[in-house]
Amino acid sequence: MNSLADPTAIGAHSASVWSGHIPALDGIRGLGVILVLIYHYGGSAMALGLGASALKLTGLGWSGVDLFFVLSGFLITGLLYDAKGKQNYFRNFYARRTLRIFPLYYFAAFVVFFLAAVTGFGLLGGANPAWIIFYVGNFQMAIEGGGSILDHFWSLAIEEQFYLVWPLIVLAFSRRTLMF
């Protein structure tokens, strides 16, 4: 039987979409992961004998992070728009974001800080822990360059900075204006 003609199949799909999970976006997430991996590990293509054509693919890898940012912006905008006008709009949003990201982020950062202090290895490069603690490591990288084992935290810093501003914008503007 065609799943479109089966009301239970449609209902099951609708429940999934309304719960906040859009299955089709999982493929886009997977593409983003593959692009990032190609970017970071594509240099190994020559060692594997894959040659110049494989190295050309590594040039596309940077777009994986951009893809994640666009996808995140889309999903966060939907969550915020659905919560718009409800009680505790800001509190609920920031509590969810904080519980989702902060524990693992700070655990990983403090493990690196501890290991750097105990071992004396240059794990932090020139990174100042304060930049990491306050989610502004992306600014330090832009000003001073990278070289830390925590350089990849730049994307989380940008995401957290987005979370500071975007809920205000969604609250201030109509859906029509947001979707211009």
Side-chain angles (χ1 to χ4, degrees):
M1 174 182 251
N2 183 336
S3 64
L4 293 177
D6 181 3
T8 59
I10 293 172
H13 177 69
S14 297
S16 173
V17 171
W18 292 118
S19 69
H21 179 251
I22 303 171
L25 297 181
D26 291 341
I28 294 173
R29 285 185 188 98
L31 178 61
V33 168
I34 290 168
L35 288 168
V36 170
L37 290 173
I38 286 172
Y39 180 76
H40 286 289
Y41 301 109
S44 303
M46 290 295 271
L48 296 173
L50 298 177
S53 60
L55 285 176
K56 286 181 183 177
L57 283 174
T58 65
L60 299 173
W62 63 269
S63 61
V65 174
D66 288 6
L67 186 59
F68 277 112
F69 282 149
V70 169
L71 186 57
S72 179
F74 169 76
L75 295 170
I76 292 299
T77 301
L79 290 172
L80 288 168
Y81 188 77
D82 288 346
K84 191 173 176 175
K86 294 183 180 172
Q87 188 176 9
N88 302 315
Y89 170 81
F90 290 107
R91 189 192 76 187
N92 292 343
F93 175 76
Y94 289 119
R96 287 181 68 189
R97 298 295 102 199
T98 299
L99 292 172
R100 185 167 188 248
I101 296 171
F102 279 37
L104 188 55
Y105 176 89
Y106 284 115
F107 175 76
F110 285 113
V111 165
V112 170
F113 298 156
F114 175 78
L115 290 175
V118 170
T119 66
F121 291 133
L123 296 174
L124 295 178
N128 180 335
W131 292 87
I132 302 298
I133 290 169
F134 292 108
Y135 276 103
V136 290
N138 57 322
F139 292 125
Q140 183 180 18
M141 284 184 65
I143 295 167
E144 301 172 7
S148 164
I149 196 171
L150 297 175
D151 283 351
H152 62 284
F153 278 15
W154 71 268
S155 64
L156 291 171
I158 289 173
E159 191 171 359
E160 291 304 315
Q161 293 156 16
F162 173 76
Y163 293 159
L164 287 175
V165 176
W166 198 243
L168 296 167
I169 292 170
V170 171
L171 189 63
F173 294 101
S174 70
R175 181 181 183 108
R176 184 179 195 147
T177 303
L178 288 170
M179 302 300 167
F180 63 92

